[in-house]
Amino acid sequence: MEQNKRPIILDCDPGTDDAICLFMLLGDDRFDIKGITPVCGNKPLSFCEKNALQLCELTGREDIPVLKGASQSLFCGERTAGNVHGAGGLGSVTLPEPHKQVEDQYAWDFIYQQAVACKGELEIVAIGPLTNVANALLKYPNLKEYVKRISIMGGAKGLGNWMAAAEFNIWADPHAAKIVFASGIPMAMMGLDICFKAYVTADDLARIRAAGGPVAEVAAELIGERVGYAEKNGRPGGILCDAVTAAYVMDESVVQTVDVHVDVETRGILTEGKTVITYKHTEDRHFPPNTKMGEDVDRPRFIDLIVNSLANLNR
């Protein structure tokens, strides 16, 4: 572990907003990114692995290992988001074929190995389905003793975006999410409710593009597609869900959180993948908090974090 740097594993399914999250973390010198663990989610695993390799090479970080992740959920097979993120997962952006290959090690083994090596200081930033993390917990029950925190993008206290009641990342592997929330590891959840408050306007996009350099150019193209979609649909700006989790990890004061208990519905016909939020108690049962849930975001400072990270990468 690099001295005074926070060790992080990024568990992701790139993914246009996953790319922005990665840029933000790489553009912050306080982090030591130990590895990237792709998982089947936005696209099938082979796409997510390739995109992770390409994004590392774009940012000049070929030193960051990309591990073999889960190709399907624990019990529900392969669940993906179709072409929501474009044919290859990075919208209209085309990057050169990666020179590097995925490491010959599974994500769950790597997570445990790094957690032990970091002596309880490892943070996991999980912005896709939670299959890799659940596999690590199932194989290594004492993992919970070595992980400082898991910060996720997923879930919602209100309506979903993939199913009526469920957000995509949780729906894609509800059983894995249930395992992770019940693990006893400190959790932070950035759900849909807060993500819709962290939008990017056309003016914000101009600032992002002005950060300069090839990474900012790719970021602007990825974000621009979302801004364009928002404008066509009468929304105030493009949504970057995964970037909200990066912002929280970078500066917790940007996000207002509340302590809640989170569980996941795995059997409901209409509610599979729903994150069930309990603030304090029901009439006859107390639910101790297991998660810090994002409730509000300082949007101007959120944009500043994106712009500053891209400017740092350019330098």
Side-chain angles (χ1 to χ4, degrees), residues 3 6 33 52 64 92 106 110 132 162 169 181 189 205 216 225 235 303:
Q3 192 173 10
R6 291 164 58 188
I33 299 184
I64 298 176
S92 62
Y106 285 110
F110 180 80
N132 288 338
W162 195 254
N169 283 345
F181 277 109
M189 168 182 145
L205 180 60
E225 293 175 6
R235 297 179 179 177
I303 301 299

Side-chain angles (χ1 to χ4, degrees), residues 17-63:
D17 52 344
D18 300 72
I20 307 305
C21 177
L22 176 61
F23 296 158
M24 293 171 71
L25 295 176
L26 286 177
D28 191 322
D29 294 334
R30 296 171 298 169
F31 298 120
D32 175 13
I33 299 184
K34 295 295 185 181
I36 297 174
T37 52
V39 63
C40 172
N42 286 322
K43 302 295 288 184
L45 180 64
S46 60
F47 288 83
C48 296
E49 290 176 336
K50 179 180 177 181
N51 292 343
L53 292 167
Q54 290 174 313
L55 292 169
C56 284
E57 293 188 9
L58 173 68
T59 55
R61 292 302 306 271
E62 294 92 339
D63 59 302

Side-chain angles (χ1 to χ4, degrees), residues 180-204:
V180 174
F181 277 109
S183 68
I185 297 172
M187 296 282 297
M189 168 182 145
M190 303 298 119
L192 287 178
D193 315 88
I194 183 175
C195 293
F196 280 112
K197 299 177 182 181
Y199 55 84
V200 181
T201 67
D203 288 342
D204 299 327

